């Protein structure tokens, strides 16, 4: 019998509550973004997880329900490419039925490369998904094709964003990872394209996730530079956070035509307010994006433990958490072995 925390509001060793759960539903992807799943490593010999290694939809939902008992109010599905998981709509339906501790609906969202949205946006909405974030690194077709490294055209992702919007996911959040010398010339064009559309572009600093993307500090464009570049042509004013602990810093166009966000994971660590747990495709729980190891919840689930026992194990893991990687990042830690982004999700 695992003893420890009983369900309820949990705090870790730095006083941070458990609030968000990111669930990776597949380790596969139809893109090979050079900073995430470089072709050199994720080639035809790469060993992806076998079907029976993945958590089933029932196992994911059961685990998510136990997280909800501990105070989780927001669930994000990710991957790999989450829309590649067969019948992911059925999982969404199951998760959409979960409730927070005070009886509200779970905030249920998903991050996707957008490639399958023209086909799937409506069924995702019908299944109960509430919001969608689409990753899009450039509007320049040549740059985008080179970054996704499978020659995927930018127009098809734009069609995906339109399809999401038409299906009722509005506004769509659009995430652009900025890498110096690769797509930083496209920052202003990206902002301009979506200005006035209602959609919200968020510029993300390139991070040293995993061990395969050859990260160097020199590749990072600080968010302050992004804001300066956009504001020079389309003036911005700082906007208030929507809620305390919001990861993206908000900036509104002075002419009232919308807003952008910047996520400064490298230059302005937000560990102090990090309330996220991550569940990998095969059921490992990670308490930090940069963790070197996880906690095997699948073993507990498949060994017949009760809900109370699994909830207690989750509680203990969270209460012992002290992660603050981004606060202590250095050139040396950047070389440490870490789990890959495609495995744990963004
Ligand atoms: N395939 C989906 C997608 O691309 O949106 C979901 C999974 S992907 C791992 C989630 C997010 O992580 C994407 O927005 C991606 O751009 C971001 N990401 C991946 N590697 C990154 C890195 N090294 N630094 C910053 N963001 C990264
Ligand atoms: Fe796939 Fe998303 Fe990683 Fe790109 S960022 S390789 S789309 S998982
Ligand atoms: Fe959270 Fe870890 Fe990122 Fe810090 S480095 S914000 S603890 S995921």
């Amino acid at each position: 019998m695992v003893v420890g925390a009983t369900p309820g509001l949990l705090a870790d060793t730095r006083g941070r509550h458990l609030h968000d759960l990111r669930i990776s539903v597949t380790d596969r992807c139809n893109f090979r973004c050079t900073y995430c799943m470089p072709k050199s490593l994720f080639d035809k010999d790469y060993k992806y997880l076998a079907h029976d290694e993945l958590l089933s939809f029932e196992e994911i939902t059961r685990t998510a329900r136990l997280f909800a008992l501990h105070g989780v109010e927001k669930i994000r599905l990710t991957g790999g490419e989450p829309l590649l998981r067969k019948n992911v709509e059925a999982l969404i339906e199951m998760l959409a039925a979960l409730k927070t501790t005070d009886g509200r609906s779970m905030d249920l969202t998903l991050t996707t490369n957008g490639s399958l949205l023209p086909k799937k946006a409506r069924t995702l909405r019908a299944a109960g998904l509430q919001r969608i974030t689409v990753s899009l690194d450039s509007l320049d077709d040549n740059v985008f094709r080179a970054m996704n490294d499978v020659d995927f055209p930018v127009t098809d992702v734009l069609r995906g964003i339109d399809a999401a919007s038409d299906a009722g996911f509005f506004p769509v959040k659009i995430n652009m990872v900025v890498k110096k010398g690769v797509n930083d010339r496209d920052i202003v064009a990206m902002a301009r394209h979506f200005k006035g559309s209602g959609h919200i572009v968020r510029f993300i600093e390139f991070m040293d996730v995993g061990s395969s993307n050859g990260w160097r500090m020199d590749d990072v464009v600080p968010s302050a530079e992004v804001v300066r570049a956009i504001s020079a042509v389309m003036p911005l004013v700082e906007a208030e956070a929507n809620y305390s602990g919001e990861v993206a810093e908000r900036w509104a166009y002075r002419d009232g035509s919308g807003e952008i966000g910047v996520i400064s994971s490298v230059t302005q660590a937000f560990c102090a307010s990090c309330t996220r747990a991550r569940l990998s495709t095969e059921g490992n729980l990670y308490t930090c994006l940069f963790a070197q190891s996880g906690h095997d919840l699948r073993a507990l689930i498949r060994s017949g433990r009760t809900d109370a026992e699994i909830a207690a194990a989750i509680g203990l893991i969270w209460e012992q958490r002290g992660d603050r990687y981004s606060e202590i990042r250095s050139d040396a830690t950047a070389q440490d072995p870490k789990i890959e982004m495609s495995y744990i999700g963004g």
Side-chain angles (χ1 to χ4, degrees), residues 28-37 79-81 112-113 135 148 341-342:
R28 292 166 196 257
C29 189
N30 53 344
F31 283 15
R32 284 293 173 275
C33 300
T34 46
Y35 55 75
C36 178
M37 294 181 76
E81 173 45 47
T112 171
N113 62 26
S135 305
N148 65 56
M341 187 76 141
S342 55

Side-chain angles (χ1 to χ4, degrees), residues 207-222:
M207 294 183 283
D208 51 329
V209 208
S211 311
S212 63
N213 68 14
W215 184 90
R216 294 174 314 143
M217 188 64 204
D218 289 352
D219 295 329
V220 178
V221 178

Side-chain angles (χ1 to χ4, degrees), residues 50 62 97 103 139 148 171 184 188 206 222 228 248 253 270-272 309 314 323 340:
R62 179 179 179 209
L139 289 171
N148 65 56
D184 49 342
V188 173
F206 174 51
R228 248 194 321 272
Y253 290 111
F270 36 77
C271 300
E309 287 170 331
I314 293 169
D323 303 287
E340 296 296 331

Side-chain angles (χ1 to χ4, degrees), residues 87-346:
N87 203 13
V88 71
E89 295 85 350
L91 173 65
I92 289 168
E93 259 179 47
M94 292 160 77
L95 294 174
L98 296 179
K99 296 278 183 242
T100 64
T101 47
D102 56 2
R104 284 173 294 126
S105 298
M106 194 60 67
D107 181 3
L108 188 56
T109 174
L110 174 146
T111 303
T112 171
N113 62 26
S115 58
L116 295 168
L117 280 178
K119 221 164 53 192
K120 286 191 165 249
R122 282 190 189 284
T123 51
L124 292 170
R125 187 73 186 169
L129 188 67
Q130 289 163 1
R131 296 184 294 118
I132 281 188
T133 300
V134 177
S135 305
L136 176 58
D137 292 333
S138 180
L139 289 171
D140 179 318
D141 198 45
N142 289 327
V143 174
F144 184 62
R145 285 175 193 253
M147 286 185 84
N148 65 56
D149 214 10
V150 292
D151 215 25
F152 197 86
V154 75
T155 45
D156 287 10
V157 179
L158 293 174
R159 275 204 307 127
I161 293 169
D162 287 345
S165 188
D166 291 348
F169 296 105
F170 186 85
V172 177
K173 284 191 179 139
I174 295 146
N175 280 359
M176 171 174 174
V177 174
V178 182
K179 197 172 170 192
K180 194 178 279 176
V182 176
N183 63 343
D184 49 342
R185 271 177 313 176
D186 307 328
I187 292 169
V188 173
M190 183 71 83
R192 186 176 284 124
H193 181 87
F194 288 103
K195 182 171 183 282
S197 70
H199 301 317
I200 302 168
V201 184
R202 294 156 0 135
F203 299 88
I204 301 176
E205 291 177 347
F206 174 51
M207 294 183 283
D208 51 329
V209 208
S211 311
S212 63
N213 68 14
W215 184 90
R216 294 174 314 143
M217 188 64 204
D218 289 352
D219 295 329
V220 178
V221 178
S223 293
E225 275 181 36
V226 171
V227 170
R228 248 194 321 272
I230 297 171
S231 201
V233 281
M234 297 172 282
L236 292 166
V237 286
E238 198 164 359
E240 270 191 29
N242 284 316
Y243 52 91
S244 104
E246 188 175 25
V247 166
E249 192 181 289
R250 298 173 62 209
W251 290 82
Y253 290 111
R254 200 180 287 161
D255 65 8
S257 61
E259 66 179 79
I260 61 147
V262 289
I263 302 183
S264 318
S265 343
V266 178
T267 60
Q268 277 193 309
F270 36 77
C271 300
S273 57
C274 179
T275 52
R276 296 172 177 182
R278 295 176 155 88
L279 187 63
S280 77
T281 315
E282 91 263 56
N284 276 322
L285 169 61
Y286 292 89
T287 54
C288 178
L289 181 54
F290 299 91
Q292 299 186 7
S293 61
H295 305 265
D296 189 356
L297 293 188
R298 188 186 65 186
L300 293 183
I301 296 167
R302 294 194 180 168
S303 65
R305 301 296 177 105
T306 63
D307 282 358
E309 287 170 331
I310 299 169
I314 293 169
L316 268 184
I317 292 165
W318 190 264
E319 286 181 337
Q320 287 165 8
R321 174 185 191 244
D323 303 287
R324 55 186 200 101
Y325 177 85
S326 287
E327 290 180 354
I328 55 167
R329 174 188 284 109
S330 67
D331 284 346
T333 62
Q335 309 311 319
D336 289 344
K338 306 182 207 85
I339 38 155
E340 296 296 331
M341 187 76 141
S342 55
Y343 167 77
I344 197 179

